[in-house]
Amino acid sequence: MPATEALRDPRSLKRLLAPRSLAVIGVSGEATGFGARTVQNMANFDGPVWCVNPKYAGQELHGRPCYASVDELPGAPDSAVIALPRTGVMAAVQALAKKGGGGAVLYASGYGETDLPERAVEEQELRDTARALGFPLLGANCLGFCDHTQRAGATFMPDYFKMTAPAGGVGVVSQSGALGYALMQAAERGFAMCHMATAGNATDLDVCDLVAFQLSMPECRSIALAVEGLRDARRLFELGELARKAGKPIVVLKLGRGEIGAKAAMSHTGSLAGSTAAWSAGFQRAGMLEVEDFDALLETAGFFAKAGPPKARGVGILTPSGGAGIMAADHAEFAGLALPQPAPATEAIFRATLPDFGSPRNPCDMTAQVATNPKYFEDCMLAMLNDDQYATVVFPVVYHNPAPGATPARMKTMEPMAAATGKPICIAWVPESLEGPGAEAADVSPNLVLFRSMRRMMNALRLWFHHHDPKPAPATPDAAASAAAAKLPAGEQTLMEAAAKTAFAEAGLPVVRELRAATAEDAVRAAQSLGYPVVLKVDSPDIAHKTEVGGVQLNLGDSGAVTAAFARIKDGAAQHAPRARVDGVLVQRMEARGVELILGARRDPQFGVMVLVGLGGVQAELWKDVALEVAPVSPEGAMAMLKRLKAWPLLDGFRGAAKVDVAAVADAIARFSAFAAAAGDRLEEAEINPLVCRPDGCVAVDGLMKLNG
């Protein structure tokens, strides 16, 4: 793959995205026009806003001075919005660059998104021109940006000027303009936002460049990123490192998660390592926190903007409703969260405070009596927050309209408690009365976090703990893997079992010993050399899945069994794959049984080579229990992959079985990933299936590899 383009320096985008002056090119007299709406959205902006339209030159237009052309502007605008049809954009860009402008927003559509080849060429010419001029572009086909720290609404969406929430907290970046602005509207209810930017076609700047800029803003504490696709998704890795250094989490949603575009492949890996799984692995490698639905994006980013590192690993639940407590506990369990019971001192406070029909446990049911005695609530909340087992306390709000004044008052009570203990309080908003002063009080608070879904709350907490877990060491160079990759034969071809396993062995992987046999007599001699019992496998460059043609015969204990098995393999191949070339059989010593894993590698068009591990054998595609990462991975990273599998207990001594040598398995995964990464673009896919894992180590029993030219 070609080298990854570096992220744009945030300093080079400051004039465009955090301007002190703005020009709107192509403003009409119609108040509903895109240019006019942009001018209206700059109502609370302190800097100059200039309109450009020769028809209104020398007049005021929507309350701002209007000029005949860019040349006549009284200064070089930091940022410009080009509200012109596509045909007028290039000339405007050139004029603004000549004037000394800092960049432009392009509303115009009709470029590459039309699928017309000539429009794609036109868009590329625009990109090349802007880059040659050193003039950054936002768009085309976007709805602009909002710098909430300066109340600059450089967008045609209506009523930005009505958003009065305090600036700070979350930055929003979206390829979809409508979705980006939908998130921005949280500022209407008091949600702290610092910046919102939409990439549209990403003619020049993509979402990675925009996030990098927001990370540089002092007011930004976390990012909500909605991404559809990228020219080069490996830019996410540089972005993730930038976020890590800044200490600002990126919460990401991948739009377009279906597998319609996934390519069928010859190995199990091809169907298991689809595009959605690759994006998830890419986000994981970048250290980003992936959510699965749009509703979770801003809630989760808002949580990370308020919450520091967790002080413990437990979650406490304090509720006036037993049912709400059960619901919270259910979702916490589904998310894999710990719900430790209160420490003795905490339980003593609960028992002394609550009525005898309350529950002094976790979840702690204070009962509806808490409504008549607010001190019940204060004592119990403070006791749970001060319990060293709990990183946060979940408080479900179960009624709102019956007590519209009590709910915001309770928020004000909780705020100093959360601040004093340094622990966020998570408000689970249960009632269908979704808005009002209670919800707004939680949004505005720096230490209370509002969620309108118990499931999304617990998933956010799961991500919180995961984000602050120790990370595996990065992979180091592997000389054996590089040397083995360098020996791969030239040209496009498929390496079947024998040749593939030879390459794996040269990369340092443990591989079963085998001999090739062209005749039944040769097979018997090979079996006698290896020692019984043995396995026979069809040796064919045209048969990838041997079991489907009866091409694997197991546990053959003598020469007669070998001779008969050889005949069955030949007959099965002739019947089920009559056009396949059959060179004979591979004879292997029958390996002792163990847990069977699949190791796979595949070249992904976005992220490069990916490595996969999962439950293997003939049922690999049935169970689809896999973990996927960007190659290469270290042994520590491979161990983390193994522990993500549902099959992990099988490796760790399930129900008294002997434990597998997981260190040897992790080392094999790391070596396999290093080999695949070293092969790079030459590798289309590679697979070991199964890797038999036992207490005394592991061994690759079968494999294949597909190479590009």
Side-chain angles (χ1 to χ4, degrees):
M1 299 176 73
T4 301
E5 180 184 323
L7 296 176
R8 201 70 64 89
D9 186 338
R11 292 170 296 184
S12 71
L13 304 180
K14 187 172 178 62
R15 292 181 67 199
L16 169 62
L17 299 175
R20 298 306 304 160
S21 60
L22 183 93
V24 185
I25 317 301
V27 186
S28 72
E30 295 293 330
T32 57
F34 283 7
R37 283 184 178 179
T38 304
V39 174
Q40 293 161 15
N41 281 331
M42 301 297 289
N44 299 316
F45 178 65
D46 288 339
V49 177
W50 303 312
C51 301
V52 175
N53 186 331
K55 184 177 177 181
Y56 301 98
Q59 305 176 36
E60 278 204 351
L61 192 57
H62 310 296
R64 301 287 186 170
C66 188
Y67 299 87
S69 67
V70 170
D71 291 342
E72 295 184 16
L73 291 174
D78 279 342
S79 188
V81 171
I82 300 177
L84 294 170
R86 189 194 84 257
T87 52
V89 167
M90 179 67 86
V93 165
Q94 292 170 327
L96 286 162
K98 182 179 179 182
K99 185 70 175 179
V105 176
L106 309 182
Y107 289 160
S109 57
Y111 288 98
E113 78 277 7
T114 64
D115 291 330
L116 297 173
E118 65 273 17
R119 296 291 180 83
V121 171
E122 184 179 344
E123 186 169 4
Q124 183 63 46
E125 290 173 349
L126 180 61
R127 179 174 186 259
D128 293 343
T129 299
R131 293 201 166 186
L133 293 169
F135 187 78
L137 302 178
L138 184 63
N141 189 30
C142 80
L143 58 68
F145 70 90
C146 300
D147 179 2
H148 205 51
T149 68
Q150 300 186 103
R151 298 298 193 266
T155 175
F156 61 79
M157 294 297 283
D159 297 338
Y160 165 73
F161 61 89
K162 296 180 180 179
M163 299 182 189
T164 57
V170 178
V172 172
V173 172
S174 173
Q175 279 179 269
S176 164
L179 293 184
Y181 200 73
L183 296 175
M184 185 69 209
Q185 290 175 83
E188 293 180 4
R189 67 171 194 260
F191 192 97
M193 316 279 281
C194 62
H195 201 276
M196 185 279 299
T198 63
N201 285 15
T203 305
D204 179 22
L205 304 177
D206 69 6
V207 294
C208 296
D209 297 312
L210 300 178
V211 172
F213 172 78
Q214 291 181 352
L215 289 171
S216 74
M217 298 179 66
E219 299 85 358
C220 176
R221 297 194 62 187
S222 69
I223 301 288
L225 168 61
V227 59
E228 297 170 29
L230 290 164
R231 283 188 292 268
D232 186 350
R234 295 173 300 168
R235 304 185 88 218
L236 292 170
F237 304 151
E238 183 184 352
L239 181 63
E241 180 62 15
L242 199 64
R244 186 192 66 78
K245 290 179 179 178
K248 300 177 181 183
I250 298 173
V251 180
V252 60
L253 171 68
K254 175 65 174 70
L255 298 168
R257 296 174 55 83
E259 294 292 345
I260 293 175
K263 182 179 67 174
M266 64 180 294
S267 67
H268 295 292
T269 300
S271 62
L272 295 172
S275 62
T276 296
W279 277 96
S280 294
F283 293 143
Q284 172 114 349
R285 171 60 64 91
M288 298 178 182
L289 303 162
E290 186 181 14
V291 295
E292 294 187 353
D293 56 70
F294 185 73
D295 294 339
L297 187 56
L298 198 61
E299 283 183 342
T300 307
F303 172 83
F304 276 93
K306 295 182 178 183
K311 295 185 174 183
R313 302 297 293 204
V315 174
I317 301 170
L318 188 69
T319 174
S321 160
I326 293 170
M327 179 169 60
D330 283 346
H331 283 287
E333 183 177 350
F334 297 155
L337 302 178
L339 296 175
Q341 291 307 310
T346 309
E347 183 179 350
I349 294 173
F350 288 166
R351 292 188 179 279
T353 303
L354 298 176
D356 57 9
F357 50 87
S359 176
R361 296 177 54 76
N362 184 24
C364 177
D365 180 8
M366 298 178 291
T367 79
Q369 293 296 312
V370 72
T372 64
N373 191 336
K375 195 171 187 307
Y376 283 0
F377 172 78
E378 295 173 21
D379 291 347
C380 291
M381 176 61 78
L382 200 55
M384 192 164 256
L385 284 170
N386 282 322
D387 192 321
D388 291 340
Q389 299 176 98
Y390 302 124
T392 182
V393 175
V394 170
F395 177 66
V397 172
V398 293
Y399 49 85
H400 178 48
N401 282 337
T407 305
R410 185 153 287 162
M411 301 300 172
K412 291 180 180 178
T413 298
M414 287 187 283
E415 165 60 34
M417 295 181 180
T421 58
K423 296 179 180 180
I425 297 176
C426 294
I427 310 299
W429 195 268
V430 177
E432 286 299 316
S433 175
L434 297 177
E435 302 296 342
E440 291 172 3
D443 266 331
V444 170
S445 164
N447 295 290
L448 309 181
V449 191
L450 183 69
F451 291 87
R452 287 183 171 82
S453 159
M454 199 74 78
R455 176 185 61 82
R456 297 197 298 266
M457 171 189 286
M458 297 306 178
N459 280 333
L461 293 178
R462 175 183 59 81
L463 291 173
W464 185 38
F465 294 128
H466 171 72
H467 182 64
H468 292 283
D469 280 341
K471 299 300 182 284
T476 56
D478 188 311
S482 298
K487 292 181 181 179
L488 290 173
E492 181 177 339
Q493 57 184 290
T494 297
L495 305 185
M496 301 307 288
E497 180 175 354
K501 287 195 298 188
T502 297
F504 297 148
E506 290 177 346
L509 285 151
V511 172
V512 66
R513 186 183 171 213
E514 65 191 14
L515 296 171
R516 303 181 90 155
T519 66
E521 292 76 13
D522 291 342
V524 169
R525 283 191 289 271
Q528 291 170 343
S529 173
L530 292 168
Y532 292 106
V534 296
V535 177
L536 263 59
K537 298 179 181 178
V538 64
D539 186 9
S540 168
D542 302 318
I543 300 175
H545 301 299
K546 303 177 185 67
T547 57
E548 296 177 3
V549 299
V552 179
Q553 300 291 314
L554 303 173
N555 205 25
L556 308 173
D558 55 39
S559 60
V562 169
T563 301
F566 187 94
R568 288 195 297 272
I569 288 175
K570 295 283 284 188
D571 291 344
Q575 179 181 352
H576 298 291
R579 297 184 180 180
R581 292 165 292 169
V582 177
D583 298 328
V585 298
L586 301 176
V587 185
Q588 301 171 354
R589 180 72 184 267
M590 183 74 186
E591 288 288 330
R593 298 184 66 177
V595 179
E596 294 186 353
L597 296 181
I598 178 175
L599 303 189
R602 186 182 182 194
R603 186 170 56 87
D604 181 81
Q606 286 281 0
F607 294 101
V609 178
M610 314 292 293
V611 63
L612 170 148
V613 60
L615 196 61
V618 296
Q619 298 178 340
E621 290 182 63
L622 176 62
W623 301 121
K624 295 185 178 179
D625 180 21
V626 298
L628 192 70
E629 285 284 359
V630 179
V633 297
S634 64
E636 294 84 359
M639 185 68 76
M641 293 176 72
L642 291 171
K643 290 182 178 180
R644 295 209 302 268
L645 298 176
K646 294 177 183 177
W648 166 252
L650 296 177
L651 301 169
D652 197 38
F654 182 64
R655 290 193 173 182
K659 292 185 178 182
V660 163
D661 185 352
V662 290
V665 177
D667 182 70
I669 297 168
R671 290 178 182 275
F672 178 80
S673 76
F675 168 75
D681 287 351
R682 288 280 344 267
L683 183 70
E684 185 64 28
E685 53 188 300
E687 184 173 285
I688 294 173
N689 185 23
L691 180 77
V692 177
C693 307
R694 300 187 296 257
D696 60 347
C698 60
V699 61
V701 174
D702 201 348
L704 61 82
M705 195 182 313
K706 185 177 180 181
L707 302 176
N708 294 310

